């Protein structure tokens, strides 16, 4: 029962470097999401994908790109990392009713 | 602009006490109100949820109270236990086709033994 799996768990980047955060779910969910969590800010939606082949911007999309590779996988890319992108990133998925989101364990990213 | 406002930011309760976390919203398009619980190093997990046509929902020691006219809802944890120590997020889902989940800022609960 893997649920939502994120890789890597930890990452340190230098300013200007790029990287891709990977996410996969095994619950046959249509919808997938990327959130960032910062102290005192809750979780803020970066991008979401309502179904395979579609992606839409959330509240804080600047500096990020996403790819819905197939129904299982949804990746988040930072093209040129900035210190302001230091955060904990969570991937989530939800079923057709979208009343419950299932989260991965997060990726703690530090940009120096 | 924060669409779901949550308070307090942190809360310390003695074992056996009642923990109360409050949230308020403005967007009347919200039609589902879940609470998520997050332990350190883990992702949030759904704890309990309520629809606005219900004023209260109870699951074990956890109760949501909902006041639609005031656009406020709260989580009550009865007989709080040290194992309840976690961060709690209220959230709201809009009735549109995207049904996006909007979170409050979180409350860090510590239950002292």
């Amino acid at each position: 029962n893997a649920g939502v799996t994120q890789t890597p768990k930890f990452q340190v980047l230098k300013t200007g470097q790029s990287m891709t955060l990977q996410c996969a779910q095994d619950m046959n969910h249509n919808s997938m999401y990327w959130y960032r969590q910062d102290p005192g800010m809750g979780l803020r939606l970066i991008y979401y994908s309502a179904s395979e082949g579609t992606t839409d911007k959330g509240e804080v999309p600047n500096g990020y790109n996403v790819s819905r590779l197939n129904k299982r996988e949804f990746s988040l890319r930072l093209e040129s990392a900035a210190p302001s992108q230091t955060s904990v990133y969570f991937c989530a998925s939800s079923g057709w009713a979208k009343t419950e989101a299932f989260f991965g364990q997060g990726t703690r990213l530090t940009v120096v | 602009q924060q669409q779901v406002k949550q308070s307090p930011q942190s809360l310390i309760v003695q074992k056996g006490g009642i923990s109360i976390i409050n949230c308020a919203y403005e967007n009347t398009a919200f039609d589902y109100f879940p609470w998520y619980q997050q332990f350190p190093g883990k992702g949030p997990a759904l704890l309990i949820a309520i629809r606005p046509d219900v004023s209260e929902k109870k699951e074990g020691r956890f109760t949501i109270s909902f006041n639609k006219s005031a656009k406020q809802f709260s989580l009550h944890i009865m007989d709080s236990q040290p194992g309840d120590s976690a961060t709690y997020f209220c959230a709201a889902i809009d009735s549109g086709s995207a049904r996006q989940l909007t979170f409050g800022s979180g409350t860090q609960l510590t239950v002292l033994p």
Side-chain angles (χ1 to χ4, degrees):
Chain A
N1 292 344
V4 179
T5 303
Q6 290 182 236
T7 56
K9 287 186 170 51
F10 302 93
Q11 184 71 47
V12 178
L13 288 179
K14 294 182 178 179
T15 297
Q17 286 185 319
S18 62
M19 80 161 295
T20 299
L21 281 63
Q22 306 287 351
C23 175
Q25 53 92 8
D26 62 2
M27 295 173 283
N28 201 36
H29 286 165
N30 284 325
S31 300
M32 297 186 73
Y33 311 86
W34 277 103
Y35 290 89
R36 61 177 289 173
Q37 183 176 16
D38 303 290
M41 303 288 287
L43 290 100
R44 292 180 293 169
L45 183 65
I46 304 171
Y47 271 93
Y48 68 97
S49 171
S51 62
E52 185 179 351
T54 68
T55 61
D56 285 286
K57 295 179 180 179
E59 181 184 355
V60 289
N62 291 344
Y64 306 95
N65 285 302
V66 291
S67 295
R68 183 74 183 266
L69 303 171
N70 47 55
K71 191 170 186 179
R72 290 187 64 249
E73 299 172 288
F74 188 38
S75 63
L76 178 71
R77 183 161 179 84
L78 287 72
E79 290 291 351
S80 178
S84 61
Q85 295 178 305
T86 294
S87 187
V88 181
Y89 291 85
F90 287 98
C91 177
S93 69
S94 64
W96 68 270
K98 298 181 183 177
T99 53
E100 180 175 1
F102 294 83
F103 285 81
Q105 294 212 351
T107 295
R108 185 172 293 275
L109 175 66
T110 302
V111 183
V112 297
Chain B
Q1 182 182 357
Q2 195 171 34
Q3 293 198 57
V4 180
K5 294 184 178 181
Q6 182 172 348
S7 63
Q9 186 173 354
S10 63
L11 181 61
I12 299 175
V13 174
Q14 293 285 342
K15 178 182 175 181
I18 303 173
S19 304
I20 302 174
I21 304 170
N22 299 301
C23 287
Y25 65 97
E26 290 295 326
N27 187 352
T28 56
F30 290 145
D31 68 355
Y32 195 71
F33 300 87
W35 284 86
Y36 282 78
Q37 180 187 54
Q38 183 183 30
F39 293 104
K42 304 292 185 181
L46 181 65
L47 179 65
I48 186 173
I50 195 168
R51 297 191 183 278
D53 54 348
V54 176
S55 61
E56 185 177 281
K57 183 173 182 180
K58 183 176 181 180
E59 290 185 0
R61 296 184 293 107
F62 300 89
T63 300
I64 301 177
S65 297
F66 192 88
N67 185 329
K68 188 174 181 178
S69 61
K71 291 186 283 187
Q72 296 176 347
F73 59 110
S74 60
L75 176 69
H76 296 235
I77 307 174
M78 312 301 288
D79 187 25
S80 299
Q81 299 296 312
D84 297 330
S85 297
T87 300
Y88 293 81
F89 294 95
C90 61
I93 297 178
D94 66 79
S95 58
S97 58
R99 294 193 66 72
Q100 289 187 30
L101 191 60
T102 300
F103 286 90
S105 55
T107 296
Q108 187 168 353
L109 172 66
T110 302
V111 181
L112 301 176

